[in-house]
Amino acid sequence: MKAGVVLAVMLMAAIVMVERGQAAITCGQVDSFLAPCLAYLTGEAKPSRACCTGVEYLKDNTPTTADRQAACKCIKDAATRYRGIKLDKARQLPKECGVDIGVPITPDIDCSK
């Protein structure tokens, strides 16, 4: 019974956080979704199916503005950690995967908008 009450309270707290516009996605999730794309982003001709699945997961897991802003910041941070990423490939990734993520992938994007 106590476990059920604790679970209900945790669920309500999570709902309140999301309703207040706080991002539910983490940089760890964004990194894991896009990790299969590194080969493409550094030169491989086409993104793998695993990469495109990750792009789809990223879109599916960023339904709110706060989520998209958080994911944007995570992607920008990741771009500074990984050398050799080709910016033209980053811009083309959603199109190559057939996924409209709603924002361009560019290093100068303002994640607050």
Side-chain angles (χ1 to χ4, degrees), residues 7-106:
L7 181 60
V9 170
M10 288 174 58
L11 181 59
M12 287 174 45
I15 291 169
V16 169
M17 282 179 27
V18 170
E19 286 178 356
R20 288 188 181 165
Q22 296 199 12
I25 196 162
T26 67
C27 286
Q29 290 171 303
V30 173
D31 288 350
S32 68
F33 293 154
L34 297 180
C37 299
L38 282 177
Y40 169 74
L41 293 171
T42 57
E44 197 169 279
K46 291 280 183 184
S48 67
R49 184 67 210 140
C51 169
C52 290
T53 298
V55 174
E56 291 170 10
Y57 286 163
L58 179 63
K59 180 181 178 164
D60 292 345
N61 284 278
T62 53
T64 68
T65 299
D67 287 323
R68 289 186 294 278
Q69 289 171 332
C72 177
K73 290 174 189 172
C74 295
I75 291 168
K76 284 180 82 166
D77 290 345
T80 63
R81 289 193 314 265
Y82 298 106
R83 301 288 176 215
I85 291 178
K86 298 179 184 326
L87 296 179
D88 58 324
K89 291 210 173 246
R91 284 187 200 99
Q92 290 299 315
L93 180 60
K95 182 179 176 185
E96 287 285 329
C97 289
V99 179
D100 180 11
I101 60 172
V103 294
I105 300 177
T106 62

